[in-house]
Every structure is written in structure tokens, then in C-alpha cells.
């Protein structure tokens, strides 16, 4: 298996659950947040 | 990004307040304001428009009035300050072509009330402001979806709002009657690809530049490449059919966009409109 596939799989495994975490109700609108952390 | 209020709405939040990209439909303004309120208590300071379609600009007036000008009224002259500051409301920034399309200066009634019109219109092809410690570029794309399209690029957040040049829910609407063209659409998508940077070499570190379409899901550079390729391929197929002497009806009958219909042609009329706009675009030039 190529390393890129392993990395992508790890990203899905670790990142995907957080994407489906409960969000507040925005009155029927969908809100997608891009969080950028500064160094 | 707020979705579901017409076109997608971009929301940048920081110490200076809120900068919005587009304002959605007027009927959805209350819900948009309530959603923003849940994200921050800070006021809306700027609305930047990507185009002149009602689903992107009709909420301008409502959201601006709920916001607050960045200018203070230090001299205490309400009339003068009001005239200079959109009556204390947030500023609406857009390219002059958007103002022209919204205000209909040809003597016909304007499509939108005065309060929805841009208060800061610019003529150059690139404009910029700095809000929330971030440079924000407005990049004009001539003759793409129409003759009044802009990208709004948040350089620090690495997010670019593409407006209706990119629509993941359907084939791109190329409004030839309002100055759009298939070549302009391709040029604009190429510019978008150029702006967006994919993740690498560590591909698990985010997705790279976020590209916010006018409608639909958030994209990354490769999604835009796929979309651009789709437009290119369908354009080339139709160009070949025109060279072979086929009429518009014959081209429609031959379904040149068939391969992409399950993804982008599910909305009634979307495929036909796309094929027709490419045909008109290719045959009207020269």
C-alpha cells in the first residue's frame, strides 16, 4: 500500500468523527466552519 | 460558510467585526443574522459581493442595516456622517459591474432597492481591504458566469469565495445575455485553480485552500480542476459538433454533456441551459 493511501486513511479515521460532531441549531441553515490555527 | 439562504455566504470573524461575502436572499436575512449571532456578538462591518444575482445580493440591505459602519461619527453631524457612512450601516463593497447590473442605470427601474446597492464600488480588476488582520482581495473575473463576477480571497485564512463561477450543484450557469461566456468561465476557473494550493507534501494537514462555491459544498483545488475539465470537455465536444455543421437542436439531441448529467444535470433545465449557453457563446464570437 502506498504511503499516501495510509496517510489518507489515517486522516479519515482521525478527522472524520470530528466532522460529524453535534452543531448548534442555526435555524435550518448549514454552517461550515474553517478553523485556521496560527503558529 | 452559511449555506441554505440562497447563495452560499462567507463569514469572516475577528476583532474588527464580521466581513460577509454575499448576503443571500432577502427573505432569509433574519435566519442569517440569527446564525451569525450564534457565531459572534460582533457587528457586520462589510459585505463583499461576488455577483449581482438576487440569491447573492438581495439580503445586502437587511444585513448591512443590522451591521455597523467602521467610521465613527466624531464630528457629531448626523447628516454628514450618515451620507458618508451608509447611515451608520455596514459597507457594501463590490465591483462597478455589479452596481451597474443591480441599479439598471439605463432608465429602467432598478432590480433592487437603493439600500441593497453597493456603497463602495471600484473599477479596477483587483481591489483589497484589510480586516481582522487579514488581507482580503477582490479579484474581478470578466465575462464568466456573467459580466459581473468577483472572487473574494482571504489570504491568511486561505479561503477563496468563488461566487457562481463555481456551482457544485449543477452545470455552471453562463449567462450569455448578461455578458457571460464559456471562455471567460474557463479562464475564471483556471484563475481559481491558480489561487488554490493543495496540501502537500503532508497530505493529512488539512485540505489546502478552501474554495467556497456560489452554491454547494466546500471544495479544494482538485475539485475545481475536475469542474474546469468538465466545462472544457463539453465545450470541445460542442465545438466539434458545430464544426460538423450541427444545429443547436441536433447538438441538444446528441447529449454532449451526458457523461456529467448524473452529477450536474439533476436540476430541471440545467443541462439544456448549459449546452445552449456554450453554443451561443461559441457561435456569437468573431
Amino acid at each position: 500500500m502506498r504511503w499516501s493511501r495510509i496517510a489518507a486513511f489515517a486522516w479519515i479515521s482521525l478527522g472524520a468523527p470530528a466532522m460529524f460532531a453535534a452543531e448548534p441549531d442555526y435555524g435550518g441553515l448549514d454552517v461550515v466552519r474553517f478553523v485556521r490555527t496560527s503558529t | 460558510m452559511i449555506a441554505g439562504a440562497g447563495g452560499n455566504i462567507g463569514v469572516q470573524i475577528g476583532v474588527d467585526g464580521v466581513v460577509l461575502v454575499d448576503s443571500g436572499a432577502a427573505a432569509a436575512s433574519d435566519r442569517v443574522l440569527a446564525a451569525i449571532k450564534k457565531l459572534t456578538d460582533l457587528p457586520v462591518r462589510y459585505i463583499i459581493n461576488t455577483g449581482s444575482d438576487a440569491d447573492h445580493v438581495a439580503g445586502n440591505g437587511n444585513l448591512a442595516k443590522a451591521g455597523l459602519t467602521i467610521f465613527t461619527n466624531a464630528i457629531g453631524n448626523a447628516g454628514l456622517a450618515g451620507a458618508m457612512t451608509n447611515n451608520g450601516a455596514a459597507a457594501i463593497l463590490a465591483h462597478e459591474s455589479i452596481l451597474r447590473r443591480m441599479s439598471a442605470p439605463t432608465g429602467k427601474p432598478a432590480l433592487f432597492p437603493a439600500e441593497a446597492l453597493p456603497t463602495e464600488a471600484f473599477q479596477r480588476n483587483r481591489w483589497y481591504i484589510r480586516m481582522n488582520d487579514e488581507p482580503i482581495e477582490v479579484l474581478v473575473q470578466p465575462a464568466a458566469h456573467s459580466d459581473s463576477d468577483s472572487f473574494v480571497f482571504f489570504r491568511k485564512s486561505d479561503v477563496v469565495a468563488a461566487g457562481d463561477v463555481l456551482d457544485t450543484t449543477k452545470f455552471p450557469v453562463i449567462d450569455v445575455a448578461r455578458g457571460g461566456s464559456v471562455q471567460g468561465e474557463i479562464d475564471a476557473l483556471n484563475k481559481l485553480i491558480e489561487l488554490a494550493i493543495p496540501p502537500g507534501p503532508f497530505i493529512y494537514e488539512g485540505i489546502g485552500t478552501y474554495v467556497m462555491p456560489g452554491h454547494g459544498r466546500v471544495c479544494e483545488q482538485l475539485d475545481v480542476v475536475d469542474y474546469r475539465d468538465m466545462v472544457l470537455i463539453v465545450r470541445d465536444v460542442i465545438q466539434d459538433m458545430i464544426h460538423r455543421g450541427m444545429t443547436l437542436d441536433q447538438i441538444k439531441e446528441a447529449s454532449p454533456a451526458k457523461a456529467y448529467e448524473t452529477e450536474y444535470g439533476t436540476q430541471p433545465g440545467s443541462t439544456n441551459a448549459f449546452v445552449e449557453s456554450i453554443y451561443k457563446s461559441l457561435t456569437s464570437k468573431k
Side-chain angles (χ1 to χ4, degrees):
Chain A
M1 183 177 280
R2 290 168 55 202
W3 280 107
S4 59
R5 289 196 180 172
I6 293 170
F9 177 74
W11 179 84
I12 291 166
S13 303
L14 297 170
M19 293 164 74
F20 297 105
E23 278 282 327
D25 177 18
Y26 293 106
L29 301 173
D30 292 319
V31 173
V32 182
R33 281 189 272 186
F34 318 119
V35 179
R36 300 293 200 189
T37 51
S38 31
T39 52
Chain B
M1 180 181 93
I2 297 176
N8 286 334
I9 299 173
V11 187
Q12 182 220 35
I13 299 168
V15 288
D16 298 332
V18 177
V19 176
L20 298 177
V21 178
D22 289 337
S23 56
S29 294
D30 288 344
R31 286 189 297 146
V32 172
L33 285 170
I36 295 169
K37 192 81 180 163
K38 286 193 176 175
L39 298 170
T40 178
D41 284 328
L42 293 166
V44 174
R45 298 295 200 156
Y46 261 98
I47 300 169
I48 307 173
N49 289 141
T50 61
S52 59
D53 291 354
D55 55 345
H56 292 268
V57 301
N60 275 1
N62 296 338
L63 302 192
K65 271 193 288 184
L68 184 67
T69 176
I70 60 166
F71 300 104
T72 55
N73 187 2
I75 56 174
N77 181 335
L80 178 62
M84 289 177 66
T85 64
N86 195 17
N87 291 317
I92 304 168
L93 176 69
H95 187 250
E96 184 217 16
S97 58
I98 295 175
L99 174 61
R100 210 166 49 229
R101 284 288 175 197
M102 289 178 71
S103 59
T106 47
K108 295 176 185 171
L111 295 169
F112 300 94
E115 62 185 24
L117 301 182
T119 60
E120 293 181 23
F122 58 92
Q123 289 187 313
R124 279 182 266 165
N125 283 340
R126 174 175 176 263
W127 199 253
Y128 43 78
I129 58 172
R130 194 177 184 98
M131 288 286 287
N132 297 316
D133 195 26
E134 171 162 46
I136 304 170
E137 280 184 282
V138 187
L139 303 164
V140 175
Q141 306 304 309
H145 157 69
S146 71
D147 61 3
S148 51
D149 301 301
S150 298
F151 296 153
V152 183
F153 185 27
F154 295 87
R155 291 186 4 173
K156 193 171 170 186
S157 304
D158 201 13
V159 174
V160 54
D164 277 347
V165 167
L166 181 66
D167 182 340
T168 65
T169 66
K170 59 178 182 289
F171 289 114
V173 175
I174 300 169
D175 194 339
V176 179
R178 292 198 306 154
S181 73
V182 67
Q183 190 54 52
E185 171 74 18
I186 292 165
D187 291 344
L189 288 168
N190 280 334
K191 177 69 184 175
L192 204 51
I193 292 165
E194 188 185 307
L195 285 176
I197 295 175
F202 301 117
I203 63 165
Y204 48 83
E205 289 189 350
I207 67 162
T209 307
Y210 289 101
V211 182
M212 203 184 93
H215 300 262
R217 65 180 174 81
V218 177
C219 296
E220 58 178 313
Q221 190 207 42
L222 262 182
D223 297 310
V224 185
V225 171
D226 278 346
Y227 199 78
R228 188 272 321 263
D229 288 351
M230 174 271 288
V231 178
L232 266 179
I233 289 167
V234 177
R235 191 273 313 261
D236 287 351
V237 170
I238 293 175
Q239 179 75 78
D240 183 56
M241 289 174 166
I242 292 169
H243 280 153
R244 285 190 278 142
M246 291 171 72
T247 64
L248 176 59
D249 286 339
Q250 287 169 329
I251 290 171
K252 279 182 181 173
E253 190 68 26
S255 304
K258 188 78 178 170
Y260 301 99
E261 276 182 36
T262 50
E263 191 168 4
Y264 301 115
T266 52
Q267 293 184 27
S270 173
T271 308
N272 262 346
F274 181 52
V275 171
E276 205 170 311
S277 65
I278 293 177
Y279 179 86
K280 281 183 184 166
S281 199
L282 292 174
T283 52
S284 68
K285 68 181 182 183
K286 293 168 197 168

